[in-house]
Amino acid sequence: MTSEPVTPAQPGAAPDLVELAKIVARQRAELDRLRDRAATAAVVERAKGAVMALTGCPADAAGEVLLQRAKAARHTLLEECWITLGTLAPTPPAGAGTSGSPGVEAPGSGAGALEQSDAPDDVTAALARLGQALVRVMTPQDLARCLLGHLGPDMGAEAVLIYARRPDGGLGLIGHAGIEDKLAAQWCQVPPLSGMAALDALQAGEPRWLEDFAADERRYLLIGDPPNRWRSRAWLPVLAAGSAEVCLGVLRGRGGVFTPRDRAHLRGVTGLCAGRLRAFDTPPERGADAATDAAQALFEALPVAAMLLTPLRTATGEIEDFQVEAATAQVGDLLGRTGEEPAGRRLLELRPALAAEPLWRGCLQVVATGKAYEGRPFAHEEVVAGVAELFVYTTRVAPMDDALVVSWVRHGSSDRQEQRLADLQRLGNLGWANWNLDTQEASWSTQVFTLVGRDPAHGPVSLLEVPELALPEDTPALTRAVGELVQDGRAFDVPFRIRTSGGIRHLRLVAEAVADRHGTPVEVHGFVQDMTARRRAELALVESERAILNQHDVIQAERTLASRLQHALLPMSNRPVHLAGLRVEVAYLPAQSGVHVGGDWFSAIELPDGDALLVVGDVAGHGVDAVATMAQLRFTAKGMVITGSSLTGALARLNTLLLHSRDSHATATMVLARYEPRRRRLVWAQAGHPPPLLLRDGEARYLHRPRGMLLGAATTPVYQEAECRLDPGDRLILYTDGLVEHPPDSIDLGLEELAEAVAAPHGDGPVPLGPLLARMLPDERRDDVCVVDVRVPGVQDG
C-alpha cells in the first residue's frame, strides 16, 4: 500500500480535497486487491487440501497437480480450484464406504467436473472472470446477484434464482436477483409437485431448456407475475459429488433458443457454482436450549407482531446482521416471507432489501445508543376474509440487555385519525391550542410547542401571556386582539414574530371564543401557523419588484441618453438626397423592446473627387455603449475613405480599432460601397454583413459577397472587394439584418421576402421605401433597422 503527503498550498490553508480523494481511492483499491488476494489464496489452499486428502501427496505436489489439471482443461487455476471443491463428496457414515475408498471422490473425475475444453475462447475468458469474482461472494444471495451481473450482458438474463432441495422433497429459494421481494416471497417455498421445471431438472440431473413459451406454459407452472414476463428460461442442476441438491434458474425477457454457446457457458457456470456453494460456511444449527424455547413460547403468546434479535458481529466488531432468536407468527408476513419460520435465521437472509430501509438503521441506532427507536407509520396490505385491506403499522425497537425487541403495532381507526391529524399539522406547519377562561387551563398540540420554540416540559402559556412571546414591536397589536377576544368575544387573525434559536420566525394566530348562554366567553380555541416561508417569499417579491422598478428607471434613462446621442450622430433627412448622380433615400427605425436604441448606422456622402460613399453597419448590442461604438466606426470609416484609404484597407483598420477599443469584446458588421459616376462603377466590400440587393428590369438579385469577416472577431482577417456596373433605372438597397431577420423564422426566409417585396409591381415604378418597410417589418420590432435605398435615374429621367 502506498501513499503520498499532501501539503497545503499556503500556510494554514486546507489540503487539496481532490488530492486527498485520489489518495483515499488508491488506498481503497489497494485494500480491495489485498482482500481479493487473501480470498483467492484461501480457495487455492482449500483445494490443495482436498487433493492432499485424496492422494496423500505434500502441499507442493498438490499445487502442481492443480496447475497441471488447469492447463490440460484450459482452466485458470482459480477455476480448477472451484471445480475441485465442487466435486468433493461428503464423507459416508462409518462402514458405508467401500474398502480402500477415502470417502472423497477424485476432483475432476465426477459428473460435476466442468467440461469446457471445447468451449469458445470468449466463454473460457468469461468463466475465468466469473471464477475471480466468486471469491467476493459470501452468501447465496450474493451469488445470485453476481451471476445476474455476469449473465445479463452476455446472454440477456433478466433474473437469476437459486433453489435448494428441502428434506420434504420440495424447494426453498436461497438466493435471487432481478425479481421483486413480493414475487420472491410468493415463490420462496415450492412444494414437491409435478410440473415444476426446477424440480424436474433436479430429479433428472439434466438441464431443462424452456424456449417455447406456449408449449412450456402448458407443461410447467411458470414463475412470474405475469408468467409471460420471461419468454425463455433455463433450469440447470448444480452437480456436486455426483448429485444435485441445488438448481440454478436463468430467466430471459426475450424468447428464442439458448445457443450452443449459451448452453456451454451455463454448464460452465454451474460447475463453478458447485465449488462456491460447497465453500460457504454452513450456518450452525440453532441450539434448542431452555432459554430459547422459553423466549419462543413467550413470543408465540404475544398478540402483536414481534421478534427478538441478537447482533452478529464481524472480527472487527461491526454488526453485519442480526439473528432472529424468537418471533411471532405475524412477523413472516410483515417481512414478506409468508408461511416461513423466522426464528433461527438471519434478518438479512429473510429480507435482503432491509439493509436499505429505516428499520435496519433503527436497529443499529438502538445498539449504538441504547435508546428506543420508533419508525414512521407505513401501510401494509393484508387479506382478511378473502379481501385485501390496508392497515397502518408503526415499528418500534427497544434494547433488552444485549438483544433487541422489534415490534409492529397496528393502529386502529381512532389511532389512524389521530395520526392523520398529526400529519396534517406537521405538513401544514400549524398546531391547535385551547384555553379555558374559567379554570385558566391551557392545552397545546405538540406542533405548537415546536413552532414557538418552547420546551413541552414547561407546558403551554395562558392566553394573556401569549403576547409576551412576540417581539416587542408586535406585542401591542397581539395584546389588543387578545383583550377584545376575552372581553367582547371578537375573533382575530393576527400575524406576529418571535425570536427562536433558528432566528426570527413569522407566525399567525387565529382564535375564536366559545360563549356561555349569557354571551360571556368561557373558552378560546384556535391555531398557530408558521408563515415564515410565505413571508420571506413576499419580502423577496417586494425586493424583486423594487429592483425591477430601479432597473426600469435605469433603462429609461439610458434609452433617453442613447436616443439623443443617436439623433445627434445620425441626422435624418425628410426627403431623398442626390449624390454623384444617384437618388438616395435613408430610413432608421429603432427596436420596440429593451433599451430600444441600438448600434445600426448609415452614411451616404459625396467624396471630394465626386464619387459617392455608401455605408451601412450594425454594432452588436444596444444602449449607450453600442451607440458610442457606432459613432467611432461611422466617423472613422468616412475619414479613412476621404483621406484615400481603400475599402478593404479601411475595414482592416476598423477591425484593429475594435480589437484595441475600450470594450475589447465589441463586434460589428459593415458594408462599404464607393460609386464612380463617370463609369457607373460600384466597388464594395463587406465585413460579415448581408449583401446588397440589386433590382434591374423588374428582377431582384443579391450581389455575390466577397470575402470578409466580422469586425472585432480575429486579429488577421482577410477582406476583398467586388464591383458591378449600375445601369440607368437600377435600384440598390443596403440594409441591416433587422429588416430580414424575424425569429423564429430564419434569415434566409427574410431575404426571400425582401427580394419578392422589392420586385413586386407598384404603379408606374418600384415600390417606395415607406410601403416596403411596412410590408417587411412585424408589429413589434426586436432589433434596429437601417436602410439605404439607392436609385440610378433612368434615361428618360436624365
Side-chain angles (χ1 to χ4, degrees), residues 335-639:
L335 292 178
R337 312 290 285 196
T338 304
E340 290 191 41
E341 175 59 47
R345 301 179 66 178
R346 292 187 171 205
L347 189 57
L348 293 183
E349 177 189 351
L350 288 168
R351 185 179 175 86
L354 194 68
E357 296 179 4
L359 176 57
W360 176 264
R361 295 191 292 272
C363 291
L364 298 179
Q365 175 183 323
V366 174
V367 173
T369 64
K371 296 181 180 179
Y373 163 83
E374 181 170 335
R376 287 193 172 182
F378 66 93
H380 178 70
E381 185 179 273
E382 299 177 13
V383 178
V384 179
V387 179
E389 293 186 23
L390 278 177
F391 293 93
V392 177
Y393 283 85
T394 296
T395 310
R396 295 172 181 168
V397 184
M400 190 179 75
D401 295 332
D402 294 331
L404 301 178
V405 176
V406 181
S407 61
W408 287 265
V409 179
R410 189 167 80 178
H411 300 280
S413 58
S414 60
D415 295 334
R416 273 183 276 176
Q417 288 295 105
E418 189 172 327
Q419 182 61 46
R420 288 169 184 166
L421 179 59
D423 290 341
L424 176 63
Q425 294 182 72
R426 177 176 52 82
L427 296 174
N429 247 349
L430 55 84
W432 56 264
N434 284 332
W435 291 274
N436 189 307
L437 301 182
D438 287 340
T439 63
Q440 300 304 314
E441 293 180 353
S443 60
W444 288 358
S445 67
T446 304
Q447 192 68 16
V448 174
F449 287 99
T450 302
L451 294 179
V452 301
R454 184 175 176 84
D455 188 347
H458 297 156
V461 301
S462 68
L463 181 60
L464 297 178
E465 294 175 326
V466 168
E468 299 177 5
L469 300 174
L471 294 181
E473 48 267 42
D474 294 343
T475 299
L478 195 55
T479 302
R480 183 170 53 255
V482 170
E484 292 175 351
L485 176 67
V486 173
Q487 294 174 10
D488 305 326
R490 185 179 301 174
F492 67 79
D493 182 346
V494 177
F496 64 100
R497 294 168 295 170
I498 64 171
R499 188 181 302 278
T500 66
S501 58
I504 300 298
R505 181 173 292 171
H506 295 262
L507 301 180
R508 170 194 181 201
L509 176 58
V510 180
E512 65 179 5
V514 178
D516 61 12
R517 59 193 180 95
H518 302 295
T520 303
V522 294
E523 188 175 353
V524 173
H525 55 80
F527 68 86
V528 180
Q529 186 176 15
D530 188 354
M531 307 294 289
T532 305
R534 177 177 174 180
R535 183 58 179 159
R536 287 175 178 169
E538 292 174 351
L539 293 175
L541 180 60
V542 170
E543 186 64 29
S544 176
E545 291 176 347
R546 183 181 295 112
I548 290 173
L549 291 175
N550 292 338
Q551 184 67 20
H552 181 267
D553 292 341
V554 172
I555 291 174
Q556 285 297 109
E558 184 175 353
R559 178 186 181 280
T560 301
L561 175 61
S563 180
R564 290 175 179 174
L565 285 173
Q566 193 167 53
H567 283 301
L569 297 172
L570 289 177
M572 298 291 296
S573 175
N574 294 328
R575 54 186 179 179
V577 296
H578 296 274
L579 304 173
L582 300 175
R583 178 181 179 274
V584 180
E585 189 175 359
V586 296
Y588 172 78
L589 298 173
Q592 293 177 317
S593 61
V595 178
H596 302 322
V597 181
D600 290 22
W601 88 93
F602 66 88
S603 283
I605 62 172
E606 189 168 307
L607 299 175
D609 59 1
D611 293 352
L613 176 65
L614 306 171
V615 186
V616 290
D618 185 2
V619 174
H622 293 80
V624 175
D625 290 341
V627 173
T629 303
M630 175 269 289
Q632 189 178 34
L633 293 177
R634 182 172 184 266
F635 291 116
T636 304
K638 287 196 299 184

Side-chain angles (χ1 to χ4, degrees), residues 119-185:
D121 291 341
D122 62 330
V123 171
T124 302
L127 292 173
R129 292 192 297 271
L130 177 60
Q132 184 66 40
L134 289 179
V135 300
R136 294 191 178 187
V137 172
M138 295 294 118
T139 65
Q141 188 68 26
D142 292 342
L143 177 60
R145 286 193 287 264
C146 178
L147 292 179
L148 182 59
H150 176 77
L151 297 174
D154 185 87
M155 62 182 67
E158 294 184 0
V160 170
L161 288 79
I162 304 175
Y163 278 102
R165 195 194 301 269
R166 297 188 312 181
D168 63 358
L171 297 178
L173 185 64
I174 61 173
H176 63 85
I179 67 171
E180 302 80 8
D181 288 341
K182 182 178 180 180
L183 185 60

Side-chain angles (χ1 to χ4, degrees), residues 238-358:
V238 180
L239 301 177
S243 64
E245 298 296 323
V246 175
C247 188
L248 173 66
V250 178
L251 285 61
R252 303 191 303 183
R254 70 169 189 260
V257 301
F258 288 86
T259 65
R261 176 196 173 281
D262 293 340
R263 297 190 178 197
H265 192 172
L266 289 174
R267 286 193 173 97
V269 167
T270 59
L272 295 182
C273 288
R276 177 67 269 187
L277 288 167
R278 288 193 60 84
F280 290 142
D281 293 327
T282 304
E285 292 294 329
R286 186 165 177 259
D289 54 66
T292 301
D293 292 341
Q296 183 59 39
L298 173 63
F299 271 73
E300 288 176 354
L302 293 176
V304 298
M307 61 183 176
L308 180 66
L309 302 179
T310 56
L312 301 177
R313 301 180 182 272
T314 64
T316 60
E318 297 179 356
I319 295 178
E320 62 177 359
D321 207 340
F322 291 91
Q323 178 87 8
V324 182
E325 301 295 344
T328 60
Q330 304 97 310
V331 169
D333 182 52
L334 287 169
L335 292 178
R337 312 290 285 196
T338 304
E340 290 191 41
E341 175 59 47
R345 301 179 66 178
R346 292 187 171 205
L347 189 57
L348 293 183
E349 177 189 351
L350 288 168
R351 185 179 175 86
L354 194 68
E357 296 179 4

Side-chain angles (χ1 to χ4, degrees), residues 27-211:
Q27 291 175 339
R28 285 178 176 170
E30 181 67 12
L31 183 59
D32 289 342
R33 186 183 66 81
L34 294 175
R35 285 175 176 168
D36 287 350
R37 178 183 293 178
T40 303
V43 174
V44 173
E45 291 302 317
R46 200 164 183 173
K48 286 169 61 177
V51 174
M52 292 167 63
L54 287 170
T55 63
C57 64
D60 292 343
E64 187 62 30
V65 169
L66 290 172
L67 286 172
Q68 292 299 326
R69 288 178 180 170
K71 183 177 180 180
R74 296 176 60 203
H75 299 160
T76 65
L77 176 60
L78 193 57
E79 285 180 277
E80 188 63 36
C81 291
W82 286 126
I83 297 167
T84 299
L85 294 175
T87 53
L88 294 177
T91 303
T98 59
S99 60
S101 172
V104 180
E105 189 173 290
S109 62
L114 176 62
E115 299 293 344
Q116 71 177 73
S117 58
D118 296 330
D121 291 341
D122 62 330
V123 171
T124 302
L127 292 173
R129 292 192 297 271
L130 177 60
Q132 184 66 40
L134 289 179
V135 300
R136 294 191 178 187
V137 172
M138 295 294 118
T139 65
Q141 188 68 26
D142 292 342
L143 177 60
R145 286 193 287 264
C146 178
L147 292 179
L148 182 59
H150 176 77
L151 297 174
D154 185 87
M155 62 182 67
E158 294 184 0
V160 170
L161 288 79
I162 304 175
Y163 278 102
R165 195 194 301 269
R166 297 188 312 181
D168 63 358
L171 297 178
L173 185 64
I174 61 173
H176 63 85
I179 67 171
E180 302 80 8
D181 288 341
K182 182 178 180 180
L183 185 60
Q186 293 174 352
W187 291 90
C188 63
Q189 301 289 342
V190 177
L193 301 174
S194 60
M196 295 299 302
L199 271 173
D200 193 8
L202 276 180
Q203 292 167 357
E206 291 291 338
R208 290 294 179 257
W209 310 99
L210 280 61
E211 301 165 325

Side-chain angles (χ1 to χ4, degrees), residues 751-773:
L751 292 171
E752 293 177 5
E753 292 177 350
L754 177 61
E756 292 174 359
V758 170
H762 182 82
D764 297 333
V767 181
L769 183 56
L772 176 66
L773 295 177

